[in-house]
Amino acid sequence: MHCHWRRSTEQSPLLLLTVTIAGALGITIPAAAQQNGGRQRLSTVQACHGAPSLTAQLGGKSMGLKNKSKDTMVNAASQFMDYFNATPSTRSLSSICWGASQVGPRDQSNGLEDKTLSDYVYWDGGIIKGTDGIYHMFASRWNQADGHNGWQWDSHAIHATSTHLYGPYTDRGLCWPDIDGGKGHNVTPLQLKDGRYAITVSGVRRGGVFVSKSLDGPWSYMGDVTVAKNAYSDAFNTQENLHIILRPDGRYEAVTSRGLIALADDVAGPYTVQGPSLFSEVPNCPNIYTLEDPCIWYSGGHYHFLTNQWDIRKAFHFTSSDGIANWKLNAGYAYDPTAGFIRDANGTVNHWCKLERPNVYIEKGHVVAMTFAAINVEKEKDLGNDLNGSKIIIVPFDGAALDRANSKSK
């Protein structure tokens, strides 16, 4: 559904009241909402297109202002982003490494990166802990000399390992070097119900599934993800940021950037699309045409769905009891690279230009960390051989506290 500014030639009392309250609380209302002497009205719909509603910015506290869709907005005490914790340092911070002038002093050993930026840039990122205690990351990489757009023709699926969750991770090479030259993008790992492991890929091709009995491989191609024909299947494009999880009930759930939900008994399908996009069913939803990078998981009795709105560099958090219907948009942001949520124990904050491809690492039923593909400049400014690039970062997250808060809001 579209979200638009609603113009009016009359003064908006609601806007004046909103600006007054926001100013008193130190909250910035977008300048576009106040231009022309306040004659441009900030609608409830626009509040989620480019900026959250005042209720959202207050972390769900309504301040007595009525929200006409409050029955589908979870008024949690905190927004999702508030549950990120300080990142433990694996090495000393560097102020002279690539990207530090934009990001700030940072730990190059967190996650996965080419520290000299002489060979590769990295994207995607998902972690599974092996039975031997080793952390296995699966991600994509391409030649840094190609610039960021090199992913379109040169993205390859790779395997990296670490003895510590936060890194450093060592690139072990291509996952399937003998299949299509090892190519793959939107790389996402999961464990199957029969104990095997799977990696899904999409983006540069139709969604497909690779499987292996071991996290170390070898990997074989199971096949393309298939979708059963129904009234909604034409809109379910497996090439669009495909993400698949194994549900507690033993079925597989697949989502795409359009917010469509599909279920299957086997990881490669056939999947049955359950209905229209969840975005079309949720009032106050962000602009669905700029949403991407869906991430879905189950914890604390809820299904969680994260999506990134790339044009404003903000992400949103939805929850559902069954993972199919009755999705609710939670107040505030899931994450925001302009906020100070990426920090170390000493308070040093990093501000990456863009954070995309979110994924979760779960232990004992709760999210304990999230991975992001992080880039230090706008993508079009990463031209190759210019000390601009991307890496995978890992940020601690208090998923147990989030799940407790969600259970109280039932």
Side-chain angles (χ1 to χ4, degrees):
M1 113 183 154
H2 284 288
C3 298
H4 301 285
W5 285 106
R6 296 174 182 170
R7 293 187 178 271
S8 174
T9 57
E10 61 184 350
Q11 195 77 4
S12 170
L14 176 59
L15 176 60
L16 293 177
L17 176 60
T18 300
V19 172
T20 300
I21 295 174
L25 294 170
I27 296 171
T28 301
I29 298 296
Q34 303 178 52
Q35 67 182 22
N36 299 325
R39 291 189 298 273
Q40 192 167 18
R41 179 174 300 174
L42 182 63
S43 71
T44 303
V45 176
Q46 170 56 26
C48 276
H49 176 79
S53 64
L54 178 59
T55 299
Q57 292 197 47
L58 295 174
K61 299 174 184 178
S62 67
M63 297 295 291
L65 296 178
K66 293 183 178 180
N67 185 325
K68 65 183 181 180
S69 58
K70 62 183 178 181
D71 58 326
T72 57
M73 177 72 77
V74 176
N75 290 322
S78 302
Q79 59 184 334
F80 185 94
M81 184 166 58
D82 295 335
Y83 292 95
F84 285 99
N85 289 328
T87 304
S89 295
T90 59
R91 299 289 190 276
S92 59
L93 305 186
S94 172
S95 299
I96 60 173
C97 63
W98 68 265
S101 60
Q102 299 91 0
V103 177
R106 63 183 188 82
D107 179 4
Q108 284 196 283
S109 292
N110 174 272
L112 174 65
E113 73 170 271
D114 181 344
K115 292 183 179 181
T116 62
L117 209 59
S118 56
D119 294 315
Y120 301 114
V121 289
Y122 293 93
W123 204 248
D124 301 320
I127 298 171
I128 296 178
K129 186 178 182 179
T131 56
D132 57 358
I134 299 297
Y135 295 91
H136 297 256
M137 177 187 289
F138 298 91
S140 62
R141 76 179 188 200
W142 57 92
N143 192 326
Q144 67 81 25
D146 294 333
H148 184 78
N149 285 336
W151 71 268
Q152 298 177 62
W153 62 85
D154 192 35
S155 184
H156 293 73
I158 63 97
H159 174 217
T161 60
S162 175
T163 56
H164 301 282
L165 172 58
Y166 298 101
Y169 283 79
T170 300
D171 186 338
R172 300 298 182 187
L174 301 181
C175 293
W176 41 83
D178 298 326
I179 305 174
D180 196 23
K183 290 192 174 180
H185 196 65
N186 291 343
V187 175
T188 308
L190 71 155
Q191 187 165 18
L192 304 180
K193 55 188 174 184
D194 64 5
R196 290 181 300 165
Y197 300 94
I199 297 174
T200 62
V201 294
S202 61
V204 296
R205 46 155 295 159
R206 292 182 60 186
V209 181
F210 291 82
V211 294
S212 174
K213 293 181 180 179
S214 167
L215 289 167
D216 294 309
W219 297 88
S220 61
Y221 191 58
M222 174 181 277
D224 290 355
V225 173
T226 60
V227 181
K229 188 73 173 177
N230 68 9
Y232 308 104
S233 58
D234 287 346
F236 194 92
N237 185 350
T238 64
Q239 189 168 338
E240 295 179 336
N241 295 152
L242 180 70
H243 191 116
I244 297 176
I245 63 166
L246 175 61
R247 293 166 51 100
D249 62 12
R251 292 181 293 175
Y252 294 94
E253 181 159 347
V255 298
T256 67
S257 56
R258 295 191 186 188
L260 288 114
I261 305 290
L263 300 179
D265 293 323
D266 296 307
V267 66
Y271 283 86
T272 300
V273 184
Q274 299 298 296
S277 168
L278 72 89
F279 303 141
S280 67
E281 302 294 300
V282 178
N284 280 3
C285 189
N287 180 1
I288 65 173
Y289 296 105
T290 57
L291 296 176
E292 63 174 7
D293 294 342
C295 175
I296 189 170
W297 73 94
Y298 178 85
S299 66
H302 286 81
Y303 288 85
H304 302 258
F305 185 102
L306 257 59
T307 184
N308 174 51
Q309 190 170 347
W310 62 263
D311 57 333
I312 63 169
R313 297 187 299 157
K314 306 288 190 289
F316 300 90
H317 174 224
F318 300 78
T319 49
S320 165
S321 59
D322 65 5
I324 300 171
N326 301 315
W327 288 92
K328 295 182 178 182
L329 172 62
N330 291 275
Y333 290 134
Y335 61 88
D336 172 3
T338 66
F341 79 96
I342 300 178
R343 63 196 186 281
D344 72 358
N346 296 318
T348 301
V349 175
N350 283 172
H351 290 288
W352 292 91
C353 180
K354 285 182 177 289
L355 297 173
E356 299 188 357
R357 303 297 299 150
N359 208 339
V360 294
Y361 173 72
I362 295 177
E363 284 186 351
K364 298 179 180 179
H366 304 289
V367 176
V368 298
M370 288 193 65
T371 59
F372 297 97
I375 186 170
N376 66 306
V377 293
E378 294 289 350
K379 294 177 181 178
E380 63 271 17
K381 293 183 179 180
D382 174 11
L383 303 176
N385 296 321
D386 57 2
L387 292 182
N388 294 316
S390 57
K391 65 169 290 184
I392 314 301
I393 65 171
I394 306 169
V395 187
F397 188 84
D398 192 351
L402 173 70
D403 290 337
R404 286 194 299 270
N406 279 334
S407 66
K408 291 177 182 179
S409 67
K410 280 186 177 180

